[in-house]
Amino acid sequence: MGQTKQDEEYGYDLFPERSARKPTQITIRDSLFTFRNKCQVMLMFAMETSPYAKLLLSAMKNSGCKVFKDRHFSCEDCDGTVSGGFDAASSQIVLCQNNIHQQAHMNRVVTHELIHAFDHCRAHVDWFNNFRHLACSEIRAANLSGDCSFSNEVSRFNFGLKEHHQQCVRGRAVRSILAVRKVSLEEAQKIVDEVFDSCFNDHAPFGRIPHGNKDAKFAYREYVNRDRYYMNL
Amino acid sequence: MQPPRACEDYLSEFRHCKSFRNRFHHYYTYGTAPSCQQWKADYHNCSEWERHKLTEAKDALQKSERRRLEEQKNFTPVWKLRQAPPGDWHRPLDQETQQDS
């Protein structure tokens, strides 16, 4: 994975620290005063308090992919405005410490990337060669992570009401594909259109589209009680 | 046998469903109003089951939950599900970073 062409083709050039392959000398000063420490603290908070994250972590553990913070998360500096990514090759979620500055944003990015990791864990997702698979996971991540909540869209000055959530999900899925693969806008839109109905309706592991923390808490409660649920159907 | 969920869960789901916030978000997502009556019926059946052990209540509740599950599967998956997790999920990182596995 050291070739530049391959790096560009799969979006690795957005995450320069991944392909540097140089040991990062982290000094005490670095860990106390840089973005890395803030990133680590926000990550821990997200994992422990966000019902979205807790549900996904629980679901992954039950699927045989227990998530270890130090192994499966990596706080790094990234290019541009990208907030995070999932690297299937190393089974790691990358968090862009230079672009995530608020806890709510961290919660959302962690949720979004955990959805990719969850898909990787439970299905044969061909991240590198099958654009339909990539689109599907991006649709699910935009749909279920709160990326497209009304308030988030308003903060991006995207004003819309009736069914705007779906428009947002489509748009963000297309953007995510364009960011990491060399395809045209039309191609990306066509792929998203092809798989939208299927993937928009796949709400695993939430069982619903969580519109906020209350929804996510109800979904988490449902998940925690699933043994009793299935036993009594 | 007991109800699939605690009866208070049905009531809280009903109340949540009818809340302004949820109705707003449902419209924002689907362009329609949510239908919440089923939660109310489920709560009623759950209470009847628990208190009076009525078979009709039990059957109705179970039928309702099974329908809910069916609705969740209302799509054709784009990918094939795994039988086992990916073999390299726990593989230690071979880079010289500060992370430990």
Side-chain angles (χ1 to χ4, degrees), chain A residues 156-167:
Chain A
R156 295 177 197 122
F157 301 108
N158 295 331
F159 299 104
L161 187 52
K162 185 173 179 180
E163 290 185 73
H164 181 77
H165 177 87
Q166 295 189 40
Q167 260 185 311

Side-chain angles (χ1 to χ4, degrees), chain A residues 182-201:
Chain A
K182 279 190 149 87
V183 290
S184 69
L185 174 63
E186 290 77 30
E187 266 178 88
Q189 283 173 337
K190 179 166 167 283
I191 294 162
V192 166
D193 284 341
E194 268 174 28
V195 298
F196 188 80
D197 281 335
S198 168
C199 305
F200 187 75
N201 289 308

Side-chain angles (χ1 to χ4, degrees), chain A residues 127-190:
Chain A
W127 300 98
F128 298 105
N129 300 314
N130 192 328
F131 285 4
R132 289 161 56 89
H133 286 188
L134 178 63
C136 193
S137 196
E138 290 296 351
I139 287 166
R140 278 174 36 79
N143 186 22
L144 302 169
S145 64
D147 272 350
C148 283
S149 74
F150 180 75
S151 36
N152 277 330
E153 277 289 271
V154 162
S155 70
R156 295 177 197 122
F157 301 108
N158 295 331
F159 299 104
L161 187 52
K162 185 173 179 180
E163 290 185 73
H164 181 77
H165 177 87
Q166 295 189 40
Q167 260 185 311
C168 169
V169 169
R170 273 181 208 270
R172 290 186 75 77
V174 167
R175 270 185 47 196
S176 293
I177 295 171
L178 291 176
V180 296
R181 295 291 184 272
K182 279 190 149 87
V183 290
S184 69
L185 174 63
E186 290 77 30
E187 266 178 88
Q189 283 173 337
K190 179 166 167 283

Side-chain angles (χ1 to χ4, degrees), chain A residues 51-194:
Chain A
Y52 289 86
K54 280 168 27 181
L55 197 163
L56 283 157
L57 291 169
S58 198
M60 288 187 68
K61 182 173 164 191
N62 285 308
S63 298
C65 296
K66 186 169 180 192
V67 171
F68 292 96
K69 181 168 155 290
D70 295 326
R71 165 64 179 85
H72 297 109
F73 282 99
S74 176
C75 286
E76 298 174 7
D77 284 329
C78 309
D79 277 359
T81 54
V82 69
S83 306
F86 173 65
D87 181 9
S90 62
S91 306
Q92 270 200 325
I93 289 171
V94 178
L95 299 170
C96 297
Q97 61 199 15
N98 56 330
N99 290 329
I100 304 172
H101 300 297
Q102 289 178 332
Q103 187 62 50
H105 189 196
M106 173 61 82
N107 291 354
R108 211 166 28 87
V109 175
V110 166
T111 302
H112 182 116
E113 303 305 336
L114 276 173
I115 290 169
H116 291 318
F118 176 70
D119 286 341
H120 178 70
C121 177
R122 63 164 182 146
H124 289 285
V125 181
D126 186 355
W127 300 98
F128 298 105
N129 300 314
N130 192 328
F131 285 4
R132 289 161 56 89
H133 286 188
L134 178 63
C136 193
S137 196
E138 290 296 351
I139 287 166
R140 278 174 36 79
N143 186 22
L144 302 169
S145 64
D147 272 350
C148 283
S149 74
F150 180 75
S151 36
N152 277 330
E153 277 289 271
V154 162
S155 70
R156 295 177 197 122
F157 301 108
N158 295 331
F159 299 104
L161 187 52
K162 185 173 179 180
E163 290 185 73
H164 181 77
H165 177 87
Q166 295 189 40
Q167 260 185 311
C168 169
V169 169
R170 273 181 208 270
R172 290 186 75 77
V174 167
R175 270 185 47 196
S176 293
I177 295 171
L178 291 176
V180 296
R181 295 291 184 272
K182 279 190 149 87
V183 290
S184 69
L185 174 63
E186 290 77 30
E187 266 178 88
Q189 283 173 337
K190 179 166 167 283
I191 294 162
V192 166
D193 284 341
E194 268 174 28

Side-chain angles (χ1 to χ4, degrees), chain A residues 71 122 198 208 229 233, chain B residues 13 65-66 76 82 91:
Chain A
R71 165 64 179 85
R122 63 164 182 146
S198 168
R208 66 184 81 195
Y229 182 76
L233 281 182
Chain B
E13 288 281 8
E65 286 289 13
R66 279 188 224 121
T76 323
R82 289 181 190 264
R91 177 171 53 87

Side-chain angles (χ1 to χ4, degrees), chain A residues 34-51:
Chain A
T34 60
F35 286 151
R36 178 162 264 129
N37 190 48
K38 183 174 176 192
C39 176
Q40 297 279 10
V41 168
M42 288 203 290
L43 167 62
M44 189 164 63
F45 202 71
M47 287 172 77
E48 287 177 7
T49 65
S50 161

Side-chain angles (χ1 to χ4, degrees), chain B residues 6 9-10 13 15 17 21 29-30 40 47 51 53 59 65-67 73:
Chain B
D9 287 3
Y10 290 108
E13 288 281 8
R15 287 185 174 143
C17 183
R21 219 191 162 93
T29 306
Y30 297 108
K40 189 173 180 192
S47 313
R51 265 186 269 139
K53 304 275 182 275
D59 290 340
E65 286 289 13
R66 279 188 224 121
R67 200 182 323 125
K73 297 185 192 138

